[in-house]
Amino acid sequence: MALWRQQVCAVMRVRFLKLKHEGKFLRSILLFFGIFILPMLMLFIGFQLWDGSGNWEITASSYFLPTEEKIQNKSTNLLIFNDTGSEIEDFIVALKSQNMMPEITLEKNITSIPLHNGAIKISLEDKSYRFTVMCSAEPINCFPMLVNILSNTFLRLFNCTARIRVWSEPFYNTQNPEVKSDIFFICLSYMLILAAGLPPHFAVSSMEDYKLQARAQLRLAGLFPSAYWCGQALVDVPLFWTL
């Protein structure tokens, strides 16, 4: 057994060195992987780009200005209707911490106010605050943006440093789970074909040993046949599963 283990280690070392210095084997493996992996890689990148292109983050800077300017690049100040009859400084400070400059008005008639992308009305009913969000007709996703601004404002009022972020996913509901399942099985079948094409590359090296009668010479020198194949397998099998 000691001799057998020594022979296995020797064959394993020879096999490893042979693969390391054999350029033909490495070139064939690289070519094989290039032919089979490149389409899969392109398919994967394509789906990632498709998923990423339909989603974008909605930020307050796209709708509301961080300065006191009335309007700039289709962005306006956030209009605040204060219908509470008292100061709302804490609320305004929480809004400013989100990098926006609110414009406060006490006007009762909302329709007389110049156009803004969005507005928040704060009223007081039975000692409870009521918040109403209002949006212009043109800005898309204005309502979820205002709700997000209110949510982050409440977090600031409760001394919380966390921030809620929102994304727009207009194509989310159109994605069919069955399509993803079909793509998965196609990829799995493709990888099985790839795995089936690898063993011949390993067999070529053993065939060359057979043609050169190297294995016969090793057997005449006292090498056990099982040691030869086990030494080969200890290199080829892990390499195969790694690939």
Side-chain angles (χ1 to χ4, degrees):
M1 289 302 298
L3 177 62
W4 184 84
R5 286 194 298 268
Q6 185 180 11
Q7 290 181 355
V8 170
C9 293
V11 173
M12 182 174 63
R13 178 177 173 82
V14 170
R15 176 63 174 167
F16 177 77
L17 293 175
K18 184 177 181 181
L19 291 178
K20 183 178 179 182
H21 295 286
E22 193 175 46
K24 184 189 298 184
F25 176 80
L26 294 177
R27 286 194 299 268
S28 63
I29 288 292
L30 290 176
L31 179 62
F32 188 74
F33 266 79
I35 294 174
F36 278 85
I37 295 298
L38 187 59
M40 295 291 297
L41 186 62
M42 294 177 63
L43 183 66
F44 176 77
I45 294 175
F47 273 100
Q48 290 297 322
L49 292 176
W50 172 259
D51 290 339
S53 63
N55 306 330
W56 63 87
E57 185 177 2
I58 307 174
T59 59
S61 59
S62 302
Y63 299 87
F64 307 110
L65 293 170
T67 60
E68 294 183 355
E69 299 181 24
K70 295 293 183 180
I71 185 170
Q72 182 182 6
N73 297 330
K74 296 184 179 181
S75 297
T76 66
N77 291 123
L78 175 61
L79 193 61
I80 303 296
F81 290 95
N82 185 6
D83 195 23
T84 62
S86 60
E87 298 293 333
I88 51 172
E89 287 300 324
D90 293 341
F91 185 82
I92 299 301
V93 171
L95 282 176
K96 291 181 178 179
S97 66
Q98 302 179 56
N99 195 27
M100 67 182 68
M101 182 60 68
E103 180 181 341
I104 307 174
T105 181
L106 301 176
E107 180 69 38
K108 298 295 184 180
N109 188 2
I110 298 175
T111 59
S112 65
I113 303 299
L115 289 177
H116 288 70
N117 284 340
I120 299 176
K121 181 180 179 181
I122 308 174
S123 56
L124 190 61
E125 298 179 4
D126 299 330
K127 297 182 179 181
S128 298
Y129 287 100
R130 180 181 179 87
F131 298 89
T132 306
V133 295
M134 295 169 281
C135 288
S136 178
E138 294 182 359
I140 302 175
N141 298 319
C142 179
F143 281 109
M145 186 70 257
L146 285 177
V147 173
N148 184 55
I149 290 174
L150 272 178
S151 302
N152 286 319
T153 302
F154 296 150
L155 289 177
R156 299 296 186 278
L157 291 175
F158 288 108
N159 298 322
C160 180
T161 58
R163 183 170 69 94
I164 300 174
R165 302 167 65 186
V166 291
W167 279 264
S168 174
E169 299 184 7
F171 304 109
Y172 178 78
N173 292 329
T174 61
Q175 293 178 354
N176 191 350
E178 295 181 359
V179 175
K180 292 185 176 181
S181 176
D182 294 339
I183 294 173
F184 171 76
F185 283 110
I186 291 173
C187 294
L188 180 61
S189 303
Y190 200 79
M191 296 306 294
L192 290 176
I193 295 173
L194 173 64
L198 285 175
H201 289 78
F202 294 95
V204 168
S205 181
S206 298
M207 289 300 298
E208 291 179 354
D209 288 349
Y210 177 78
K211 291 179 180 179
L212 296 174
Q213 297 184 352
R215 184 158 58 90
Q217 294 178 22
L218 291 173
R219 288 185 62 183
L220 292 176
L223 178 69
F224 293 108
S226 58
Y228 174 82
W229 292 114
C230 287
Q232 298 267 10
L234 287 176
V235 176
D236 292 347
V237 173
L239 180 60
F240 170 79
W241 285 111
T242 301
L243 294 174

PDB file of all heavy atoms in Angstrom, residues 1-2 15 94 102 105 135 145 163 184 241:
ATOM      1  N   MET A   1       0.824  -1.213   0.000  1.00  0.00           N
ATOM      2  CA  MET A   1       0.000   0.000   0.000  1.00  0.00           C
ATOM      3  C   MET A   1       0.856   1.261   0.000  1.00  0.00           C
ATOM      4  O   MET A   1       0.504   2.267  -0.637  1.00  0.00           O
ATOM      5  CB  MET A   1      -0.935  -0.003   1.212  1.00  0.00           C
ATOM      6  CG  MET A   1      -2.074  -1.025   1.136  1.00  0.00           C
ATOM      7  SD  MET A   1      -3.117  -0.773  -0.333  1.00  0.00           S
ATOM      8  CE  MET A   1      -3.737   0.868  -0.012  1.00  0.00           C
ATOM      9  N   ALA A   2       1.977   1.212   0.707  1.00  0.00           N
ATOM     10  CA  ALA A   2       2.860   2.381   0.721  1.00  0.00           C
ATOM     11  C   ALA A   2       3.407   2.642  -0.680  1.00  0.00           C
ATOM     12  O   ALA A   2       3.488   3.792  -1.136  1.00  0.00           O
ATOM     13  CB  ALA A   2       3.985   2.169   1.722  1.00  0.00           C
ATOM     14  N   ARG A  15       0.919  14.043 -14.121  1.00  0.00           N
ATOM     15  CA  ARG A  15      -0.271  14.484 -14.836  1.00  0.00           C
ATOM     16  C   ARG A  15      -0.470  15.994 -14.704  1.00  0.00           C
ATOM     17  O   ARG A  15      -0.784  16.692 -15.674  1.00  0.00           O
ATOM     18  CB  ARG A  15      -1.497  13.734 -14.302  1.00  0.00           C
ATOM     19  CG  ARG A  15      -2.834  14.171 -14.903  1.00  0.00           C
ATOM     20  CD  ARG A  15      -2.886  13.910 -16.376  1.00  0.00           C
ATOM     21  NE  ARG A  15      -4.209  14.183 -16.936  1.00  0.00           N
ATOM     22  CZ  ARG A  15      -4.470  14.272 -18.216  1.00  0.00           C
ATOM     23  NH1 ARG A  15      -3.493  14.121 -19.112  1.00  0.00           N
ATOM     24  NH2 ARG A  15      -5.685  14.514 -18.647  1.00  0.00           N
ATOM     25  N   ALA A  94     -37.114  69.657   8.835  1.00  0.00           N
ATOM     26  CA  ALA A  94     -37.002  68.273   8.379  1.00  0.00           C
ATOM     27  C   ALA A  94     -37.048  68.186   6.856  1.00  0.00           C
ATOM     28  O   ALA A  94     -36.373  67.348   6.245  1.00  0.00           O
ATOM     29  CB  ALA A  94     -38.116  67.425   8.995  1.00  0.00           C
ATOM     30  N   PRO A 102     -38.591  74.456   0.730  1.00  0.00           N
ATOM     31  CA  PRO A 102     -40.044  74.585   0.611  1.00  0.00           C
ATOM     32  C   PRO A 102     -40.470  76.054   0.553  1.00  0.00           C
ATOM     33  O   PRO A 102     -39.815  76.942   1.092  1.00  0.00           O
ATOM     34  CB  PRO A 102     -40.554  73.901   1.882  1.00  0.00           C
ATOM     35  CG  PRO A 102     -39.432  74.039   2.857  1.00  0.00           C
ATOM     36  CD  PRO A 102     -38.165  74.004   2.058  1.00  0.00           C
ATOM     37  N   THR A 105     -46.972  79.008   2.153  1.00  0.00           N
ATOM     38  CA  THR A 105     -48.042  79.960   1.848  1.00  0.00           C
ATOM     39  C   THR A 105     -49.201  79.719   2.799  1.00  0.00           C
ATOM     40  O   THR A 105     -49.448  78.598   3.262  1.00  0.00           O
ATOM     41  CB  THR A 105     -48.516  79.809   0.392  1.00  0.00           C
ATOM     42  OG1 THR A 105     -49.544  80.764   0.148  1.00  0.00           O
ATOM     43  CG2 THR A 105     -49.040  78.408   0.124  1.00  0.00           C
ATOM     44  N   CYS A 135     -50.522  67.237  -6.620  1.00  0.00           N
ATOM     45  CA  CYS A 135     -49.547  67.232  -7.698  1.00  0.00           C
ATOM     46  C   CYS A 135     -50.105  67.910  -8.931  1.00  0.00           C
ATOM     47  O   CYS A 135     -51.323  67.904  -9.167  1.00  0.00           O
ATOM     48  CB  CYS A 135     -49.133  65.806  -8.063  1.00  0.00           C
ATOM     49  SG  CYS A 135     -48.092  65.011  -6.833  1.00  0.00           S
ATOM     50  N   MET A 145     -43.474  60.286  -4.967  1.00  0.00           N
ATOM     51  CA  MET A 145     -42.356  61.095  -4.515  1.00  0.00           C
ATOM     52  C   MET A 145     -42.746  61.925  -3.299  1.00  0.00           C
ATOM     53  O   MET A 145     -42.001  62.032  -2.326  1.00  0.00           O
ATOM     54  CB  MET A 145     -41.892  62.008  -5.654  1.00  0.00           C
ATOM     55  CG  MET A 145     -40.631  62.810  -5.332  1.00  0.00           C
ATOM     56  SD  MET A 145     -39.174  61.760  -5.232  1.00  0.00           S
ATOM     57  CE  MET A 145     -38.927  61.640  -3.464  1.00  0.00           C
ATOM     58  N   ARG A 163     -33.211  56.505   5.772  1.00  0.00           N
ATOM     59  CA  ARG A 163     -33.836  57.197   4.638  1.00  0.00           C
ATOM     60  C   ARG A 163     -34.535  56.179   3.751  1.00  0.00           C
ATOM     61  O   ARG A 163     -33.972  55.143   3.421  1.00  0.00           O
ATOM     62  CB  ARG A 163     -32.780  57.953   3.830  1.00  0.00           C
ATOM     63  CG  ARG A 163     -33.359  58.753   2.675  1.00  0.00           C
ATOM     64  CD  ARG A 163     -32.296  59.665   2.069  1.00  0.00           C
ATOM     65  NE  ARG A 163     -31.269  58.896   1.373  1.00  0.00           N
ATOM     66  CZ  ARG A 163     -31.288  58.629   0.066  1.00  0.00           C
ATOM     67  NH1 ARG A 163     -32.309  59.050  -0.674  1.00  0.00           N
ATOM     68  NH2 ARG A 163     -30.323  57.956  -0.503  1.00  0.00           N
ATOM     69  N   PHE A 184     -34.195  29.446 -17.465  1.00  0.00           N
ATOM     70  CA  PHE A 184     -33.369  28.668 -16.546  1.00  0.00           C
ATOM     71  C   PHE A 184     -33.130  27.259 -17.084  1.00  0.00           C
ATOM     72  O   PHE A 184     -32.000  26.759 -17.067  1.00  0.00           O
ATOM     73  CB  PHE A 184     -34.042  28.604 -15.176  1.00  0.00           C
ATOM     74  CG  PHE A 184     -33.382  27.650 -14.227  1.00  0.00           C
ATOM     75  CD1 PHE A 184     -32.192  27.983 -13.595  1.00  0.00           C
ATOM     76  CD2 PHE A 184     -33.943  26.406 -13.966  1.00  0.00           C
ATOM     77  CE1 PHE A 184     -31.577  27.099 -12.723  1.00  0.00           C
ATOM     78  CE2 PHE A 184     -33.342  25.521 -13.105  1.00  0.00           C
ATOM     79  CZ  PHE A 184     -32.151  25.872 -12.478  1.00  0.00           C
ATOM     80  N   TRP A 241     -14.775  19.111 -12.619  1.00  0.00           N
ATOM     81  CA  TRP A 241     -15.868  19.721 -11.841  1.00  0.00           C
ATOM     82  C   TRP A 241     -15.604  21.206 -11.600  1.00  0.00           C
ATOM     83  O   TRP A 241     -16.545  21.983 -11.466  1.00  0.00           O
ATOM     84  CB  TRP A 241     -16.060  18.981 -10.526  1.00  0.00           C
ATOM     85  CG  TRP A 241     -16.735  17.668 -10.712  1.00  0.00           C
ATOM     86  CD1 TRP A 241     -16.201  16.426 -10.548  1.00  0.00           C
ATOM     87  CD2 TRP A 241     -18.087  17.439 -11.148  1.00  0.00           C
ATOM     88  NE1 TRP A 241     -17.124  15.457 -10.838  1.00  0.00           N
ATOM     89  CE2 TRP A 241     -18.289  16.046 -11.195  1.00  0.00           C
ATOM     90  CE3 TRP A 241     -19.138  18.296 -11.476  1.00  0.00           C
ATOM     91  CZ2 TRP A 241     -19.499  15.500 -11.593  1.00  0.00           C
ATOM     92  CZ3 TRP A 241     -20.337  17.743 -11.849  1.00  0.00           C
ATOM     93  CH2 TRP A 241     -20.508  16.362 -11.897  1.00  0.00           C
TER      94      TRP A 241
END
